Amino acid sequence: MHIEILFLYIGNLCHDVFYNTDICIYLVFKGLQCETNMTKFSVLMPVYHGDSSSQFDDALNSITRNQTLKPSEVVIVVDGPVNWLVPDKVISDYHGYNLNFVMITKNRGLSNALNVGLMHCNFDLVARMDSDDVALPSRFEMQISLMTTQHHIAVLGGAVEEFSYHQTFGRRSCPTDPVAIREYAYLRNPMNHPTVVFRKRLVMRLGGYQEFDGFEDYDLWVRMIQSGHTITNIEEVCVKMRVGKEFYKRRRGLNYIVKEYRFALNIYREGFLTEWSFGKFLMLRLIFRLIPRPFIMTIYSKLLRRY
């Protein structure tokens, strides 16, 4: 009886505003439901045989136990055989964190692993994470709160602090203004991939990640910009990104130059780069890739990074 009186009272109040009690009650409960669903998000993290078990555990611990805002699910894509990884044991060790392992029988590269993983993400907001990095405790709290209130943002990244073991090399920050991001993207990747949170439906609408080894994320950001979507960054450090000699080694040599040329040619043909910016992109990068490795490490740490 008391419940009926309460609903009748609410209905009368709503009727004065909406002239329809059914609509009022529907909107109240629908709003609560939408608000709850919008705070749910997936974390997408690939792993392959070249990763380290201890670093994988550090990464997983940082996005689950150590986060002030816990993810709704963690989708871990195992890209080919990984001898040291036993999914059942990891799920047991991280009981209550809704881990979902997706197994790929043969290693086919990062873009394929991410696309497969996206199909298993149950929520529209997806946070990327690499299996050898460490997320800061407040990362998801900072980014998800913005993504749930700023609906025009398609992709949100942040700064990274680069480290190796116990040594910090510097900080890589990217522009925060969407206009500046477009200008920046003419020469450099405007986002730190391991820090991004994006809207799955928009990424899937653009065809997901394309096969540009080493540039699959850069290519996606360019397509996002070309499609009129807003991509931006926050100034705060979101992830501690592991670097070392292998990190710099992968970014030089003929093989990497060919990959860069293929990527640059594609975004030129798609109309993102002009002839002038295409030539500038290739020339600056060609010089950079041919510099001896010790000088590359100095350039990265002293000129292209900020402490």
Side-chain angles (χ1 to χ4, degrees), residues 79-98:
D79 189 16
V82 180
N83 296 331
W84 50 261
L85 183 61
V86 182
D88 288 343
K89 184 180 184 306
V90 177
I91 291 173
S92 175
D93 291 344
Y94 286 85
H95 177 72
Y97 286 103
N98 195 18

Side-chain angles (χ1 to χ4, degrees), residues 244-271:
K245 291 182 179 180
E246 288 300 315
F247 174 85
Y248 299 107
K249 184 179 179 180
R250 289 195 301 267
R251 285 158 171 76
R252 65 190 310 273
L254 181 60
N255 187 41
Y256 199 78
I257 291 172
V258 171
K259 291 177 182 178
E260 279 185 320
Y261 173 76
R262 179 172 170 261
F263 164 69
L265 182 62
N266 179 71
I267 60 175
Y268 165 67
R269 286 174 173 170
E270 293 297 322

